Amino acid sequence: MKIARRVAAAVLVAGIITALGLVGWSWWTSRLPGTYSVMDYGSADFGGGAKASAEMEHARMGHARSVATLNGPRGVPDRRFVLTARRATVRLSSGREIDALTFGGRAPGPELRVRQGDLVEVKLVNQDVDGGVTIHWHGVDVPNAEDGVAGVTQDAVRPGHVFTYRFRMRQAGTFWYHTHEVSSEGVRRGLYGVLVSEPRRLARAPGVDMAVVAHEFGGIQTLNTTDGVGRRAVAPGTSVRLRLVNSENGPQTFTLTGAPFRVVAIDGTDLNGPTPLVDSGLELAAGGRYDVAFTMPPRAVALALADTKARIVLSPDGAGDALPVQVQPRRTFDPLAYGRPRATPFGAASRFDRRFELDISRKPGFLDGRPGLQWAINGHIFPDVPMFVVRSGDLVKMTIRNDTGSVHPMHLHGHHMLVLARDGVRASGSPWWTDTLEVHGHERYELAFRADNPGLWMDHCHNLDHAAAGLTMHLAYEGFSTPFRIGGEAHNEPE
Ligand code: C2O
Ligand code: CU
């Protein structure tokens, strides 16, 4: 009897020690080293395609081609800009002052306007942003070395230093730029701006073409720097294009009242055959863009951010006295069946070279030594996430499944993805190309893209706090490697 009890006690103690050991082990192994390469973490996922493991091994050992060689074209630029990152006080329309980090002393930073086809050169000067800064061209499929990700495609630019970006602007549409060094803090504090690429051939230029960024400054919702009512005179009959950008971490719903409008572009790609909408709320993903167009009526039109005081009123006399009341949108715009179908280079019936699954869930565990309920990708907590490996030219299918109750705006750098289906329902409207896809809780999207832009690309949630909390992974082209490191001397910290 005594012996049996002793054995039981010993087993219990051994069990507790094992359990503690396991917890200790998972804590120990979750800690990130002081400096590391993104090539060294996670596990390669070949999506059922060719493995090329020897090449991946080479990449890990540093024999692969450096992504730093994937520069934009040389030659004389068509457009040149200088963006100076510096601390500044930003004044909102109410007079409220924000202690911000800025490009050029304002937030949003200077609006960069280029023409499709231009060779663009942007010199980034860091005047006094202590943490360092980079510029990521969100939605522009630039060559990898111009992508602006600290610790992956370059070192963060320290105060007193410069970095020059060069790329050919092949796309036409609405894009934005932002720092990708400690981006969760930098973007929130003001290191972002709009990049507009005008089509090379424009039948009729809109009379008013205006970018409007939804941003939250320390709890205050704004449209550009308007935290109340902004007004602008627009003559009736004028064609108006509003370029809506969401630089926040969560989805934002815009309402446009006073005129029927069309959504003419999503994420920098024009839609085919968009039809007029009335009283539809436009829920825009964090990081996403919608372009809307309408003809100015002989009365006021208001663009508002739902559930906030921020609005911009366009009216014939600029007084906007006939201020439309804030309407609750009757329905929410859904791109899945909007507009007319049109031929695409590939589709649901294509033969795919690789198929990747990206499942987002929550899981208790350690993130860099900190215990908590963590984000997980395919069941694993960062840095134990997959790295999707492709070969140049591959046609790729990606299925994103959100097994959490939160919204995740998933952003793939360097590529545009064609939406094939949501929750098994085929996309049936205009081709819907996206770079930042809002995936609601328990939704599943099927997407396709061509792997035609070699390098090492982030694929992450654009709720930048989620990204910083581990919702980050990479798409890697075999044969390429990065010489840059996270952490270390340059203090590279992309999230
Ligand atoms: Cu706009 Cu990796 O981000
Ligand atoms: Cu998220």
Side-chain angles (χ1 to χ4, degrees):
M1 217 49 221
K2 242 188 203 161
I3 290 174
R5 219 181 293 148
R6 270 202 200 153
V7 168
V11 166
L12 183 65
V13 168
I16 290 170
I17 288 172
T18 309
L20 284 175
L22 283 175
V23 170
W25 173 252
S26 68
W27 168 78
W28 180 258
T29 55
S30 81
R31 295 170 328 132
L32 294 166
T35 163
Y36 62 96
S37 166
V38 295
M39 301 300 291
D40 296 335
Y41 70 68
S43 48
D45 178 343
F46 296 94
K51 287 228 164 51
S53 45
E55 276 196 61
M56 275 309 282
E57 273 317 301
H58 272 124
R60 282 173 188 256
M61 291 187 305
H63 297 309
R65 182 170 164 196
S66 163
V67 295
T69 63
L70 297 167
N71 294 107
R74 295 176 205 283
V76 183
D78 300 294
R79 297 304 312 272
R80 266 204 175 106
F81 302 95
V82 177
L83 289 177
T84 303
R86 62 182 180 91
R87 292 189 293 233
T89 300
V90 170
R91 234 186 134 78
L92 304 183
S93 65
S94 62
R96 213 174 172 123
E97 296 191 329
I98 307 290
D99 175 23
L101 301 178
T102 70
F103 288 113
R106 8 190 201 129
E111 184 174 307
L112 309 184
R113 287 231 165 208
V114 304
R115 300 274 327 258
Q116 185 178 19
D118 280 354
L119 178 56
V120 180
E121 182 183 286
V122 182
K123 185 169 155 194
L124 164 64
V125 181
N126 183 358
Q127 188 172 310
D128 59 6
V129 175
D130 294 334
V133 62
T134 67
I135 300 179
H136 168 58
W137 309 97
H138 185 120
V140 185
D141 299 333
V142 297
N144 197 223
E146 315 292 344
D147 198 42
V149 180
V152 179
T153 66
Q154 68 172 95
D155 281 327
V157 180
R158 313 297 302 162
H161 291 252
V162 301
F163 187 94
T164 302
Y165 298 91
R166 293 170 72 91
F167 54 90
R168 176 83 57 198
M169 190 71 223
R170 298 187 190 285
Q171 300 149 272
T174 306
F175 305 92
W176 64 300
Y177 61 88
H178 62 78
T179 186
H180 225 308
E181 163 70 2
V182 200
S183 54
S184 51
E185 189 198 334
V187 175
R188 181 166 46 78
R189 294 195 58 192
L191 286 169
Y192 65 91
V194 175
L195 168 64
V196 173
S197 172
E198 288 163 358
R200 204 191 319 243
R201 266 183 290 280
L202 200 56
R204 188 168 57 108
V208 170
D209 183 326
M210 188 170 126
V212 181
V213 187
H215 190 81
E216 185 187 316
F217 288 100
I220 305 158
Q221 291 285 342
T222 63
L223 292 171
N224 296 335
T225 48
T226 301
D227 56 345
V229 182
R231 292 185 173 82
R232 177 164 173 172
V234 178
T238 307
S239 68
V240 179
R241 185 177 185 120
L242 301 178
R243 302 171 182 271
L244 312 180
V245 181
N246 181 0
S247 63
E248 302 190 28
N249 278 338
Q252 291 301 324
T253 300
F254 289 82
T255 59
L256 186 66
T257 48
F261 61 94
R262 295 166 209 264
V263 177
V264 294
I266 298 178
D267 289 356
T269 309
D270 282 350
L271 296 182
N272 189 47
T275 49
L277 300 168
V278 178
D279 286 350
S280 275
L282 300 171
E283 187 182 313
L284 188 52
R289 288 89 62 215
Y290 280 158
D291 290 16
V292 299
F294 59 92
T295 302
M296 186 65 193
R299 59 184 175 277
V301 171
L303 174 74
L305 206 48
D307 305 319
T308 77
K309 296 203 185 77
R311 74 193 61 202
I312 292 173
V313 180
L314 310 180
S315 60
D317 62 0
D321 38 270
L323 186 66
V325 284
Q326 171 105 2
V327 283
Q328 270 313 103
R330 273 195 279 135
R331 58 192 89 78
T332 301
F333 168 69
D334 183 3
L336 197 69
Y338 181 70
R340 268 199 323 272
R342 169 200 253 172
T344 48
F346 42 82
S350 297
R351 207 189 56 76
F352 292 97
D353 301 297
R354 316 221 177 217
R355 293 163 186 270
F356 294 112
E357 311 270 330
L358 200 171
D359 291 353
I360 303 164
S361 62
R362 299 217 87 171
K363 185 181 167 180
F366 295 95
L367 178 72
D368 196 10
R370 289 185 307 275
L373 192 56
Q374 315 293 357
W375 301 115
I377 300 179
N378 294 358
H380 298 282
I381 298 165
F382 185 91
D384 201 15
V385 291
M387 176 178 279
F388 294 159
V389 182
V390 295
R391 196 172 267 184
S392 236
D394 281 349
L395 188 59
V396 181
K397 182 166 177 184
M398 176 132 74
T399 303
I400 302 179
R401 195 193 316 265
N402 180 357
D403 295 327
T404 75
S406 314
V407 177
H408 300 296
M410 298 306 292
H411 173 47
L412 173 62
H413 287 208
H415 302 76
H416 275 73
M417 303 182 287
L418 178 66
V419 176
L420 303 176
R422 182 181 59 216
D423 296 333
V425 180
R426 286 274 181 92
S428 58
S430 160
W432 173 14
W433 295 91
T434 178
D435 53 56
T436 315
L437 180 68
E438 180 155 291
V439 186
H440 283 108
H442 306 287
E443 272 182 347
R444 179 170 57 93
Y445 273 93
E446 288 161 65
L447 306 149
F449 68 92
R450 176 72 70 185
D452 56 4
N453 198 5
L456 190 50
W457 303 99
M458 282 186 97
D459 189 358
H460 65 94
C461 179
H462 221 283
N463 180 325
L464 297 174
D465 289 335
H466 290 181
L471 256 186
T472 294
M473 56 169 295
H474 293 82
L475 171 74
Y477 282 65
E478 65 175 43
F480 290 91
S481 181
T482 179
F484 304 105
R485 297 179 74 81
I486 310 281
E489 300 258 286
H491 302 288
N492 294 321
E493 209 60 70
E495 286 88 18

